[in-house]
Each structure stands twice: as C-alpha cells, then as structure tokens.
Amino acid sequence: RISPALTFEPIVTASFTSGPTTTTTFGGMSTTAANSALDLRVSVRARLRLASVQTIELVGLGEAGVSYRSAVNDPNGPDNNTTINTTDLGVRWGVGLQWFVTRHWSLSFDVLNPLLVLSNTSNEQQMPGPPPTSLNVTTSSFTVAAIFAPTVFLMVHMYL
C-alpha cells in the first residue's frame, strides 16, 4: 500500500494446457489432433479508495499489462501444424467492492473493462507437399474505447 487509499498490486499469470482432441465425422471416421496452449500475463493493478463505510470500500481500478498466448494444433499427418501466437498490450479500468475481514485480510469483487488494447496475432500454418512450406499471416489491431466488456474477479488480499 502506498497510502491508506492507494494500493498497487503486481499480477503474474502462467498456464499451460495440452491434450488430444478427437473428431468423428458422419461416416464414422475419426481423427485425433494434439493441442497445446501457453498463456503468460504480467500486469500492475492500482486500487484507489473512492468511498468507505465501516469495513467495506468502493474502489476505482486501473490496470496496465502485457499478455502472450501460443496455441498449437497438430492433426494426424506430417507437415500440417497450425501455430497461433498473440501478444496484447492493454490498459483496463473498473470498479470493485472490498471488504476488510481483518486489518491484514480482505475480500474483493472487481469488474474490469478494456480501455486501450494493442494486439498482434501471427498465424502460421504448415502446408504439406514436396517441399514443405508454411503460410504466415500477421494481423495487428489498436482499440480505444471505454466499453463494457467485463472481466469479473473475486480475490483474497493479504496486507502486511
């Protein structure tokens, strides 16, 4: 906590998922693909107390961060992988309710919405054939909007 009314929270998220997907067609043929995804995110969230009643606070939220996602789809057969890499740089805004159970522990219910988002997506698909080649399509976008597309968080906080 910087002051009783202002708090900065570092946030680090990492996840990896992997597993097969089996698809069965109308004729009874089935295919299996190996899928995997890596998600990384680093951000800093600011909490500013706007109002309080006893142990409950209304807080304004601001967050800036960067995220990276890599997803791979590898169906049966040689040279036919698809890899999608996405990098996002963003700023979000929101509000929350925070209840201080004790002086050192609180529970919060937060809603965050995008404000600025810079996104870059690269889609690489391997093409079979002699010689094997790949098709790479990159798209970038920049979004500025105070829109309502909420992400909801229920969090437990510990203060030293």
Side-chain angles (χ1 to χ4, degrees):
R1 282 191 132 169
I2 302 298
S3 72
L6 182 62
T7 304
F8 288 99
E9 301 172 340
I11 300 169
V12 176
T13 306
S15 69
F16 178 77
T17 57
S18 178
T21 302
T22 302
T23 305
T24 304
T25 62
F26 181 71
M29 300 276 297
S30 65
T31 59
T32 302
N35 298 308
S36 63
L38 171 69
D39 292 298
L40 302 172
R41 181 174 158 247
V42 177
S43 62
V44 175
R45 184 176 299 159
R47 306 175 75 79
L48 178 63
R49 181 176 59 211
L50 303 174
S52 65
V53 175
Q54 295 179 352
T55 60
I56 298 176
E57 295 181 351
L58 174 67
V59 293
L61 303 169
E63 181 177 291
V66 62
S67 66
Y68 172 77
R69 176 175 174 83
S70 178
V72 177
N73 181 331
D74 183 9
N76 282 340
D79 302 323
N80 58 358
N81 297 355
T82 300
T83 304
I84 300 173
N85 295 316
T86 304
T87 305
D88 292 327
L89 179 64
V91 175
R92 301 192 297 178
W93 66 278
V95 294
L97 285 176
Q98 187 167 6
W99 172 45
F100 281 86
V101 180
T102 69
R103 194 173 139 232
H104 297 288
W105 291 93
S106 72
L107 197 66
S108 71
F109 180 76
D110 303 335
V111 178
L112 287 167
N113 296 285
L115 181 62
L116 302 170
V117 179
L118 176 61
S119 182
N120 185 19
T121 302
S122 172
N123 186 343
E124 181 180 356
Q125 184 171 8
Q126 292 180 348
M127 310 297 263
T133 58
S134 65
L135 174 66
N136 194 354
V137 177
T138 301
T139 57
S140 296
S141 66
F142 180 64
T143 306
V144 179
I147 59 174
F148 187 70
T151 304
V152 178
F153 297 93
L154 179 61
M155 297 174 35
V156 175
H157 304 266
M158 182 183 75
Y159 297 97
L160 301 176

